[in-house]
Amino acid sequence: MQDPNEDTEWNDILRKKGILPPKEVPKDDEEEELALQQQSVVKTYESMTLEELEENEDEFGEDDEAAIEMYRQKRLAEWKANQIKNVFGELGEISGQDYVKEVNKAGDGIWVVLHLYKQGIPLCTLINQHLSTLARKFPQTKFLKSISTTCIPNYPDRNLPTIFVYFEGEMKAQFIGPLVFGGMNLKVEELEWRLSESGAVKTDLEENPKKQIEDKLMSSIRCSLPTRQDGDSEDEDY
């Protein structure tokens, strides 16, 4: 008698016609196939981002909920670790040797504010103080300072202070020389606004503080001007 589980062309025809039952799969093969399916599902979870898990959660059954939650927590932990890694919070000092690593290769999504300065220049000292304050306020931005000639040989003192703004290694803005900063009257809020315009920080200031000062100055000038009398107009006619 012919074995119905035997792999023959005739048996395959009989199975297709429903005369023979489907071929029995050995238990070991069944377990191996199930393991492969589970491995494939797990791999799908592992390859997903937090956003993808959220978008596709309706496609998974109840049995998958535990696995989905496990990998969601894993992705969340990775995201938090990445956020902590990218928190700076202070004004760092670099040399020319550190320039490529700390500025050009700062990393994905990283803004870098670099101040070129020299000791003994009061405005440079003031800007370093302001940048230290801003570094604490905006810890996601990397704030750096470097003595100008250690970073760029023969960099002229007349260009100091200089601030370069980089994003993902590409220069986005530059502020060169004392006139750009408005001298020793520069306020930390004014510098914050300048940096926010370049994209380096996300300020909560609603308008340029410099404009407020200018408006107050113009208002005080107008108030101090003598008012014209009618007699003055008559005198001017002669």
Side-chain angles (χ1 to χ4, degrees), residues 82-83 85-88 98-113 140-142 144 165-172:
N82 189 54
Q83 292 298 304
K85 183 180 69 174
N86 290 340
V87 169
F88 304 102
D98 305 319
Y99 197 96
V100 172
K101 176 187 173 185
E102 298 293 338
V103 178
N104 298 108
K105 296 183 179 179
D108 294 340
I110 302 298
W111 284 92
V112 179
V113 175
Q140 301 296 331
T141 298
K142 181 188 280 191
L144 300 171
V165 178
Y166 288 82
F167 180 67
E168 297 184 343
E170 182 180 340
M171 186 180 289
K172 295 296 183 182

PDB file of all heavy atoms in Angstrom, residues 82-83 85-88 98-113 140-142 144 165-172:
ATOM      1  N   ASN A  82      19.914  59.359  24.961  1.00  0.00           N
ATOM      2  CA  ASN A  82      20.458  60.234  23.929  1.00  0.00           C
ATOM      3  C   ASN A  82      20.275  61.700  24.301  1.00  0.00           C
ATOM      4  O   ASN A  82      21.146  62.536  24.063  1.00  0.00           O
ATOM      5  CB  ASN A  82      19.776  59.951  22.589  1.00  0.00           C
ATOM      6  CG  ASN A  82      20.439  60.680  21.441  1.00  0.00           C
ATOM      7  OD1 ASN A  82      21.640  60.568  21.230  1.00  0.00           O
ATOM      8  ND2 ASN A  82      19.663  61.431  20.681  1.00  0.00           N
ATOM      9  N   GLN A  83      19.117  62.025  24.907  1.00  0.00           N
ATOM     10  CA  GLN A  83      18.868  63.396  25.336  1.00  0.00           C
ATOM     11  C   GLN A  83      19.839  63.815  26.436  1.00  0.00           C
ATOM     12  O   GLN A  83      20.379  64.915  26.423  1.00  0.00           O
ATOM     13  CB  GLN A  83      17.428  63.540  25.847  1.00  0.00           C
ATOM     14  CG  GLN A  83      16.379  63.403  24.769  1.00  0.00           C
ATOM     15  CD  GLN A  83      16.489  64.482  23.702  1.00  0.00           C
ATOM     16  OE1 GLN A  83      16.464  65.663  23.997  1.00  0.00           O
ATOM     17  NE2 GLN A  83      16.644  64.062  22.463  1.00  0.00           N
ATOM     18  N   LYS A  85      22.764  62.559  26.962  1.00  0.00           N
ATOM     19  CA  LYS A  85      24.101  62.644  26.363  1.00  0.00           C
ATOM     20  C   LYS A  85      24.319  63.993  25.698  1.00  0.00           C
ATOM     21  O   LYS A  85      25.435  64.519  25.676  1.00  0.00           O
ATOM     22  CB  LYS A  85      24.262  61.510  25.334  1.00  0.00           C
ATOM     23  CG  LYS A  85      25.641  61.456  24.690  1.00  0.00           C
ATOM     24  CD  LYS A  85      25.723  60.317  23.699  1.00  0.00           C
ATOM     25  CE  LYS A  85      24.857  60.577  22.477  1.00  0.00           C
ATOM     26  NZ  LYS A  85      25.035  59.540  21.437  1.00  0.00           N
ATOM     27  N   ASN A  86      23.266  64.574  25.152  1.00  0.00           N
ATOM     28  CA  ASN A  86      23.386  65.828  24.414  1.00  0.00           C
ATOM     29  C   ASN A  86      23.144  67.066  25.275  1.00  0.00           C
ATOM     30  O   ASN A  86      22.971  68.146  24.754  1.00  0.00           O
ATOM     31  CB  ASN A  86      22.401  65.836  23.235  1.00  0.00           C
ATOM     32  CG  ASN A  86      22.814  64.850  22.162  1.00  0.00           C
ATOM     33  OD1 ASN A  86      23.962  64.443  22.087  1.00  0.00           O
ATOM     34  ND2 ASN A  86      21.864  64.450  21.334  1.00  0.00           N
ATOM     35  N   VAL A  87      23.099  66.895  26.600  1.00  0.00           N
ATOM     36  CA  VAL A  87      22.946  68.043  27.484  1.00  0.00           C
ATOM     37  C   VAL A  87      24.328  68.545  27.869  1.00  0.00           C
ATOM     38  O   VAL A  87      25.153  67.781  28.355  1.00  0.00           O
ATOM     39  CB  VAL A  87      22.127  67.669  28.736  1.00  0.00           C
ATOM     40  CG1 VAL A  87      22.190  68.780  29.762  1.00  0.00           C
ATOM     41  CG2 VAL A  87      20.686  67.393  28.359  1.00  0.00           C
ATOM     42  N   PHE A  88      24.572  69.831  27.627  1.00  0.00           N
ATOM     43  CA  PHE A  88      25.907  70.393  27.882  1.00  0.00           C
ATOM     44  C   PHE A  88      25.885  71.261  29.141  1.00  0.00           C
ATOM     45  O   PHE A  88      26.450  70.896  30.155  1.00  0.00           O
ATOM     46  CB  PHE A  88      26.378  71.160  26.655  1.00  0.00           C
ATOM     47  CG  PHE A  88      26.380  70.316  25.405  1.00  0.00           C
ATOM     48  CD1 PHE A  88      25.360  70.444  24.454  1.00  0.00           C
ATOM     49  CD2 PHE A  88      27.346  69.365  25.196  1.00  0.00           C
ATOM     50  CE1 PHE A  88      25.345  69.661  23.312  1.00  0.00           C
ATOM     51  CE2 PHE A  88      27.339  68.566  24.062  1.00  0.00           C
ATOM     52  CZ  PHE A  88      26.332  68.710  23.116  1.00  0.00           C
ATOM     53  N   ASP A  98      41.085  70.525  19.042  1.00  0.00           N
ATOM     54  CA  ASP A  98      39.743  70.012  19.341  1.00  0.00           C
ATOM     55  C   ASP A  98      38.691  70.491  18.341  1.00  0.00           C
ATOM     56  O   ASP A  98      37.551  70.028  18.383  1.00  0.00           O
ATOM     57  CB  ASP A  98      39.299  70.483  20.740  1.00  0.00           C
ATOM     58  CG  ASP A  98      40.290  70.109  21.816  1.00  0.00           C
ATOM     59  OD1 ASP A  98      40.818  68.986  21.768  1.00  0.00           O
ATOM     60  OD2 ASP A  98      40.548  70.954  22.703  1.00  0.00           O
ATOM     61  N   TYR A  99      39.072  71.421  17.466  1.00  0.00           N
ATOM     62  CA  TYR A  99      38.096  72.131  16.635  1.00  0.00           C
ATOM     63  C   TYR A  99      37.241  71.170  15.800  1.00  0.00           C
ATOM     64  O   TYR A  99      36.011  71.244  15.824  1.00  0.00           O
ATOM     65  CB  TYR A  99      38.823  73.119  15.712  1.00  0.00           C
ATOM     66  CG  TYR A  99      37.941  74.181  15.113  1.00  0.00           C
ATOM     67  CD1 TYR A  99      37.832  75.433  15.695  1.00  0.00           C
ATOM     68  CD2 TYR A  99      37.188  73.934  13.963  1.00  0.00           C
ATOM     69  CE1 TYR A  99      37.033  76.425  15.147  1.00  0.00           C
ATOM     70  CE2 TYR A  99      36.380  74.904  13.408  1.00  0.00           C
ATOM     71  CZ  TYR A  99      36.302  76.147  14.005  1.00  0.00           C
ATOM     72  OH  TYR A  99      35.499  77.107  13.473  1.00  0.00           O
ATOM     73  N   VAL A 100      37.898  70.280  15.089  1.00  0.00           N
ATOM     74  CA  VAL A 100      37.159  69.371  14.195  1.00  0.00           C
ATOM     75  C   VAL A 100      36.224  68.475  14.988  1.00  0.00           C
ATOM     76  O   VAL A 100      35.042  68.320  14.658  1.00  0.00           O
ATOM     77  CB  VAL A 100      38.140  68.524  13.353  1.00  0.00           C
ATOM     78  CG1 VAL A 100      37.370  67.455  12.569  1.00  0.00           C
ATOM     79  CG2 VAL A 100      38.912  69.411  12.395  1.00  0.00           C
ATOM     80  N   LYS A 101      36.724  67.893  16.079  1.00  0.00           N
ATOM     81  CA  LYS A 101      35.918  66.968  16.876  1.00  0.00           C
ATOM     82  C   LYS A 101      34.751  67.675  17.558  1.00  0.00           C
ATOM     83  O   LYS A 101      33.605  67.201  17.522  1.00  0.00           O
ATOM     84  CB  LYS A 101      36.802  66.301  17.928  1.00  0.00           C
ATOM     85  CG  LYS A 101      36.032  65.384  18.880  1.00  0.00           C
ATOM     86  CD  LYS A 101      36.940  64.892  19.996  1.00  0.00           C
ATOM     87  CE  LYS A 101      36.129  64.115  21.027  1.00  0.00           C
ATOM     88  NZ  LYS A 101      36.968  63.713  22.186  1.00  0.00           N
ATOM     89  N   GLU A 102      35.029  68.827  18.192  1.00  0.00           N
ATOM     90  CA  GLU A 102      34.015  69.493  19.006  1.00  0.00           C
ATOM     91  C   GLU A 102      33.057  70.365  18.206  1.00  0.00           C
ATOM     92  O   GLU A 102      31.926  70.613  18.630  1.00  0.00           O
ATOM     93  CB  GLU A 102      34.695  70.361  20.079  1.00  0.00           C
ATOM     94  CG  GLU A 102      35.545  69.583  21.060  1.00  0.00           C
ATOM     95  CD  GLU A 102      34.714  68.671  21.957  1.00  0.00           C
ATOM     96  OE1 GLU A 102      33.507  68.934  22.114  1.00  0.00           O
ATOM     97  OE2 GLU A 102      35.277  67.703  22.485  1.00  0.00           O
ATOM     98  N   VAL A 103      33.501  70.840  17.028  1.00  0.00           N
ATOM     99  CA  VAL A 103      32.675  71.758  16.237  1.00  0.00           C
ATOM    100  C   VAL A 103      32.164  71.085  14.963  1.00  0.00           C
ATOM    101  O   VAL A 103      30.965  70.902  14.778  1.00  0.00           O
ATOM    102  CB  VAL A 103      33.454  73.048  15.896  1.00  0.00           C
ATOM    103  CG1 VAL A 103      32.601  73.977  15.041  1.00  0.00           C
ATOM    104  CG2 VAL A 103      33.889  73.760  17.179  1.00  0.00           C
ATOM    105  N   ASN A 104      33.083  70.711  14.084  1.00  0.00           N
ATOM    106  CA  ASN A 104      32.682  70.142  12.796  1.00  0.00           C
ATOM    107  C   ASN A 104      32.015  68.776  12.931  1.00  0.00           C
ATOM    108  O   ASN A 104      31.160  68.415  12.122  1.00  0.00           O
ATOM    109  CB  ASN A 104      33.888  70.018  11.866  1.00  0.00           C
ATOM    110  CG  ASN A 104      34.514  71.369  11.557  1.00  0.00           C
ATOM    111  OD1 ASN A 104      35.593  71.684  12.027  1.00  0.00           O
ATOM    112  ND2 ASN A 104      33.829  72.201  10.783  1.00  0.00           N
ATOM    113  N   LYS A 105      32.392  68.016  13.953  1.00  0.00           N
ATOM    114  CA  LYS A 105      31.818  66.680  14.153  1.00  0.00           C
ATOM    115  C   LYS A 105      31.056  66.616  15.474  1.00  0.00           C
ATOM    116  O   LYS A 105      31.092  65.600  16.170  1.00  0.00           O
ATOM    117  CB  LYS A 105      32.926  65.626  14.117  1.00  0.00           C
ATOM    118  CG  LYS A 105      33.621  65.528  12.767  1.00  0.00           C
ATOM    119  CD  LYS A 105      34.660  64.427  12.753  1.00  0.00           C
ATOM    120  CE  LYS A 105      35.326  64.314  11.381  1.00  0.00           C
ATOM    121  NZ  LYS A 105      36.359  63.251  11.354  1.00  0.00           N
ATOM    122  N   ALA A 106      30.351  67.687  15.787  1.00  0.00           N
ATOM    123  CA  ALA A 106      29.615  67.753  17.059  1.00  0.00           C
ATOM    124  C   ALA A 106      28.497  66.719  17.137  1.00  0.00           C
ATOM    125  O   ALA A 106      28.123  66.278  18.218  1.00  0.00           O
ATOM    126  CB  ALA A 106      29.039  69.153  17.270  1.00  0.00           C
ATOM    127  N   GLY A 107      27.941  66.331  15.978  1.00  0.00           N
ATOM    128  CA  GLY A 107      26.892  65.307  15.981  1.00  0.00           C
ATOM    129  C   GLY A 107      25.603  65.779  15.337  1.00  0.00           C
ATOM    130  O   GLY A 107      25.420  66.970  15.077  1.00  0.00           O
ATOM    131  N   ASP A 108      24.721  64.821  15.094  1.00  0.00           N
ATOM    132  CA  ASP A 108      23.431  65.124  14.469  1.00  0.00           C
ATOM    133  C   ASP A 108      22.565  65.965  15.399  1.00  0.00           C
ATOM    134  O   ASP A 108      22.440  65.670  16.592  1.00  0.00           O
ATOM    135  CB  ASP A 108      22.695  63.825  14.122  1.00  0.00           C
ATOM    136  CG  ASP A 108      23.416  63.025  13.049  1.00  0.00           C
ATOM    137  OD1 ASP A 108      24.224  63.623  12.330  1.00  0.00           O
ATOM    138  OD2 ASP A 108      23.180  61.804  12.965  1.00  0.00           O
ATOM    139  N   GLY A 109      21.962  67.019  14.827  1.00  0.00           N
ATOM    140  CA  GLY A 109      21.027  67.837  15.577  1.00  0.00           C
ATOM    141  C   GLY A 109      21.659  68.746  16.610  1.00  0.00           C
ATOM    142  O   GLY A 109      20.946  69.309  17.442  1.00  0.00           O
ATOM    143  N   ILE A 110      22.989  68.913  16.582  1.00  0.00           N
ATOM    144  CA  ILE A 110      23.670  69.711  17.601  1.00  0.00           C
ATOM    145  C   ILE A 110      24.043  71.089  17.057  1.00  0.00           C
ATOM    146  O   ILE A 110      24.712  71.206  16.033  1.00  0.00           O
ATOM    147  CB  ILE A 110      24.956  69.004  18.098  1.00  0.00           C
ATOM    148  CG1 ILE A 110      24.624  67.630  18.670  1.00  0.00           C
ATOM    149  CG2 ILE A 110      25.679  69.866  19.141  1.00  0.00           C
ATOM    150  CD1 ILE A 110      23.705  67.664  19.861  1.00  0.00           C
ATOM    151  N   TRP A 111      23.601  72.125  17.775  1.00  0.00           N
ATOM    152  CA  TRP A 111      24.020  73.500  17.506  1.00  0.00           C
ATOM    153  C   TRP A 111      25.256  73.802  18.337  1.00  0.00           C
ATOM    154  O   TRP A 111      25.330  73.428  19.514  1.00  0.00           O
ATOM    155  CB  TRP A 111      22.912  74.481  17.870  1.00  0.00           C
ATOM    156  CG  TRP A 111      21.784  74.531  16.891  1.00  0.00           C
ATOM    157  CD1 TRP A 111      20.634  73.804  16.930  1.00  0.00           C
ATOM    158  CD2 TRP A 111      21.686  75.353  15.723  1.00  0.00           C
ATOM    159  NE1 TRP A 111      19.825  74.117  15.860  1.00  0.00           N
ATOM    160  CE2 TRP A 111      20.440  75.067  15.109  1.00  0.00           C
ATOM    161  CE3 TRP A 111      22.520  76.308  15.142  1.00  0.00           C
ATOM    162  CZ2 TRP A 111      20.018  75.702  13.941  1.00  0.00           C
ATOM    163  CZ3 TRP A 111      22.105  76.943  13.976  1.00  0.00           C
ATOM    164  CH2 TRP A 111      20.876  76.635  13.395  1.00  0.00           C
ATOM    165  N   VAL A 112      26.216  74.489  17.735  1.00  0.00           N
ATOM    166  CA  VAL A 112      27.442  74.873  18.433  1.00  0.00           C
ATOM    167  C   VAL A 112      27.635  76.379  18.316  1.00  0.00           C
ATOM    168  O   VAL A 112      27.550  76.943  17.220  1.00  0.00           O
ATOM    169  CB  VAL A 112      28.677  74.147  17.853  1.00  0.00           C
ATOM    170  CG1 VAL A 112      29.948  74.591  18.580  1.00  0.00           C
ATOM    171  CG2 VAL A 112      28.511  72.640  17.940  1.00  0.00           C
ATOM    172  N   VAL A 113      27.871  77.017  19.460  1.00  0.00           N
ATOM    173  CA  VAL A 113      28.196  78.445  19.499  1.00  0.00           C
ATOM    174  C   VAL A 113      29.640  78.559  19.972  1.00  0.00           C
ATOM    175  O   VAL A 113      29.960  78.172  21.098  1.00  0.00           O
ATOM    176  CB  VAL A 113      27.259  79.212  20.448  1.00  0.00           C
ATOM    177  CG1 VAL A 113      27.690  80.672  20.556  1.00  0.00           C
ATOM    178  CG2 VAL A 113      25.813  79.116  19.959  1.00  0.00           C
ATOM    179  N   GLN A 140      20.859  72.220  25.604  1.00  0.00           N
ATOM    180  CA  GLN A 140      20.914  71.396  24.395  1.00  0.00           C
ATOM    181  C   GLN A 140      21.874  71.975  23.347  1.00  0.00           C
ATOM    182  O   GLN A 140      22.204  71.301  22.371  1.00  0.00           O
ATOM    183  CB  GLN A 140      19.512  71.259  23.778  1.00  0.00           C
ATOM    184  CG  GLN A 140      18.477  70.633  24.703  1.00  0.00           C
ATOM    185  CD  GLN A 140      18.796  69.205  25.073  1.00  0.00           C
ATOM    186  OE1 GLN A 140      19.430  68.502  24.301  1.00  0.00           O
ATOM    187  NE2 GLN A 140      18.384  68.768  26.237  1.00  0.00           N
ATOM    188  N   THR A 141      22.279  73.217  23.530  1.00  0.00           N
ATOM    189  CA  THR A 141      23.237  73.858  22.619  1.00  0.00           C
ATOM    190  C   THR A 141      24.629  73.781  23.224  1.00  0.00           C
ATOM    191  O   THR A 141      24.799  74.001  24.428  1.00  0.00           O
ATOM    192  CB  THR A 141      22.852  75.334  22.388  1.00  0.00           C
ATOM    193  OG1 THR A 141      21.561  75.387  21.779  1.00  0.00           O
ATOM    194  CG2 THR A 141      23.857  76.035  21.478  1.00  0.00           C
ATOM    195  N   LYS A 142      25.605  73.455  22.397  1.00  0.00           N
ATOM    196  CA  LYS A 142      26.987  73.374  22.878  1.00  0.00           C
ATOM    197  C   LYS A 142      27.635  74.753  22.763  1.00  0.00           C
ATOM    198  O   LYS A 142      27.814  75.282  21.674  1.00  0.00           O
ATOM    199  CB  LYS A 142      27.785  72.349  22.063  1.00  0.00           C
ATOM    200  CG  LYS A 142      29.241  72.201  22.537  1.00  0.00           C
ATOM    201  CD  LYS A 142      30.061  71.336  21.599  1.00  0.00           C
ATOM    202  CE  LYS A 142      29.814  69.886  21.833  1.00  0.00           C
ATOM    203  NZ  LYS A 142      30.813  69.031  21.106  1.00  0.00           N
ATOM    204  N   LEU A 144      30.979  76.984  23.352  1.00  0.00           N
ATOM    205  CA  LEU A 144      32.424  76.815  23.455  1.00  0.00           C
ATOM    206  C   LEU A 144      33.132  78.163  23.348  1.00  0.00           C
ATOM    207  O   LEU A 144      32.616  79.099  22.741  1.00  0.00           O
ATOM    208  CB  LEU A 144      32.942  75.894  22.343  1.00  0.00           C
ATOM    209  CG  LEU A 144      32.384  74.470  22.290  1.00  0.00           C
ATOM    210  CD1 LEU A 144      32.840  73.782  21.014  1.00  0.00           C
ATOM    211  CD2 LEU A 144      32.805  73.669  23.516  1.00  0.00           C
ATOM    212  N   VAL A 165      28.509  80.315  14.629  1.00  0.00           N
ATOM    213  CA  VAL A 165      27.397  79.421  14.961  1.00  0.00           C
ATOM    214  C   VAL A 165      27.363  78.289  13.935  1.00  0.00           C
ATOM    215  O   VAL A 165      27.323  78.550  12.722  1.00  0.00           O
ATOM    216  CB  VAL A 165      26.047  80.169  14.968  1.00  0.00           C
ATOM    217  CG1 VAL A 165      24.902  79.202  15.260  1.00  0.00           C
ATOM    218  CG2 VAL A 165      26.062  81.297  15.992  1.00  0.00           C
ATOM    219  N   TYR A 166      27.388  77.056  14.422  1.00  0.00           N
ATOM    220  CA  TYR A 166      27.383  75.871  13.558  1.00  0.00           C
ATOM    221  C   TYR A 166      26.176  74.991  13.875  1.00  0.00           C
ATOM    222  O   TYR A 166      25.713  74.940  15.021  1.00  0.00           O
ATOM    223  CB  TYR A 166      28.640  75.022  13.782  1.00  0.00           C
ATOM    224  CG  TYR A 166      29.923  75.608  13.237  1.00  0.00           C
ATOM    225  CD1 TYR A 166      30.629  76.558  13.965  1.00  0.00           C
ATOM    226  CD2 TYR A 166      30.440  75.191  12.016  1.00  0.00           C
ATOM    227  CE1 TYR A 166      31.817  77.083  13.481  1.00  0.00           C
ATOM    228  CE2 TYR A 166      31.631  75.707  11.528  1.00  0.00           C
ATOM    229  CZ  TYR A 166      32.310  76.658  12.264  1.00  0.00           C
ATOM    230  OH  TYR A 166      33.484  77.177  11.787  1.00  0.00           O
ATOM    231  N   PHE A 167      25.701  74.304  12.843  1.00  0.00           N
ATOM    232  CA  PHE A 167      24.686  73.266  13.034  1.00  0.00           C
ATOM    233  C   PHE A 167      25.090  72.048  12.228  1.00  0.00           C
ATOM    234  O   PHE A 167      25.269  72.124  11.014  1.00  0.00           O
ATOM    235  CB  PHE A 167      23.300  73.739  12.595  1.00  0.00           C
ATOM    236  CG  PHE A 167      22.222  72.691  12.772  1.00  0.00           C
ATOM    237  CD1 PHE A 167      21.843  72.278  14.044  1.00  0.00           C
ATOM    238  CD2 PHE A 167      21.603  72.116  11.675  1.00  0.00           C
ATOM    239  CE1 PHE A 167      20.870  71.319  14.218  1.00  0.00           C
ATOM    240  CE2 PHE A 167      20.623  71.143  11.836  1.00  0.00           C
ATOM    241  CZ  PHE A 167      20.250  70.751  13.124  1.00  0.00           C
ATOM    242  N   GLU A 168      25.279  70.928  12.943  1.00  0.00           N
ATOM    243  CA  GLU A 168      25.711  69.673  12.315  1.00  0.00           C
ATOM    244  C   GLU A 168      26.963  69.893  11.468  1.00  0.00           C
ATOM    245  O   GLU A 168      27.097  69.354  10.368  1.00  0.00           O
ATOM    246  CB  GLU A 168      24.579  69.056  11.494  1.00  0.00           C
ATOM    247  CG  GLU A 168      23.381  68.661  12.349  1.00  0.00           C
ATOM    248  CD  GLU A 168      22.287  67.965  11.555  1.00  0.00           C
ATOM    249  OE1 GLU A 168      22.300  68.079  10.312  1.00  0.00           O
ATOM    250  OE2 GLU A 168      21.426  67.313  12.176  1.00  0.00           O
ATOM    251  N   GLY A 169      27.885  70.708  11.999  1.00  0.00           N
ATOM    252  CA  GLY A 169      29.174  70.914  11.343  1.00  0.00           C
ATOM    253  C   GLY A 169      29.203  71.978  10.268  1.00  0.00           C
ATOM    254  O   GLY A 169      30.259  72.282   9.709  1.00  0.00           O
ATOM    255  N   GLU A 170      28.060  72.576   9.972  1.00  0.00           N
ATOM    256  CA  GLU A 170      27.994  73.597   8.915  1.00  0.00           C
ATOM    257  C   GLU A 170      27.757  74.973   9.543  1.00  0.00           C
ATOM    258  O   GLU A 170      26.890  75.132  10.395  1.00  0.00           O
ATOM    259  CB  GLU A 170      26.848  73.264   7.958  1.00  0.00           C
ATOM    260  CG  GLU A 170      26.718  74.237   6.798  1.00  0.00           C
ATOM    261  CD  GLU A 170      25.565  73.875   5.876  1.00  0.00           C
ATOM    262  OE1 GLU A 170      25.114  72.706   5.901  1.00  0.00           O
ATOM    263  OE2 GLU A 170      25.106  74.764   5.125  1.00  0.00           O
ATOM    264  N   MET A 171      28.569  75.964   9.115  1.00  0.00           N
ATOM    265  CA  MET A 171      28.427  77.301   9.686  1.00  0.00           C
ATOM    266  C   MET A 171      27.115  77.938   9.239  1.00  0.00           C
ATOM    267  O   MET A 171      26.785  77.953   8.066  1.00  0.00           O
ATOM    268  CB  MET A 171      29.597  78.202   9.285  1.00  0.00           C
ATOM    269  CG  MET A 171      29.560  79.559   9.974  1.00  0.00           C
ATOM    270  SD  MET A 171      30.925  80.655   9.520  1.00  0.00           S
ATOM    271  CE  MET A 171      32.285  79.845  10.356  1.00  0.00           C
ATOM    272  N   LYS A 172      26.364  78.472  10.234  1.00  0.00           N
ATOM    273  CA  LYS A 172      25.077  79.087   9.957  1.00  0.00           C
ATOM    274  C   LYS A 172      25.089  80.596  10.165  1.00  0.00           C
ATOM    275  O   LYS A 172      24.257  81.302   9.599  1.00  0.00           O
ATOM    276  CB  LYS A 172      24.005  78.458  10.852  1.00  0.00           C
ATOM    277  CG  LYS A 172      23.753  76.987  10.584  1.00  0.00           C
ATOM    278  CD  LYS A 172      23.209  76.767   9.190  1.00  0.00           C
ATOM    279  CE  LYS A 172      22.889  75.309   8.920  1.00  0.00           C
ATOM    280  NZ  LYS A 172      22.387  75.094   7.530  1.00  0.00           N
TER     281      LYS A 172
END
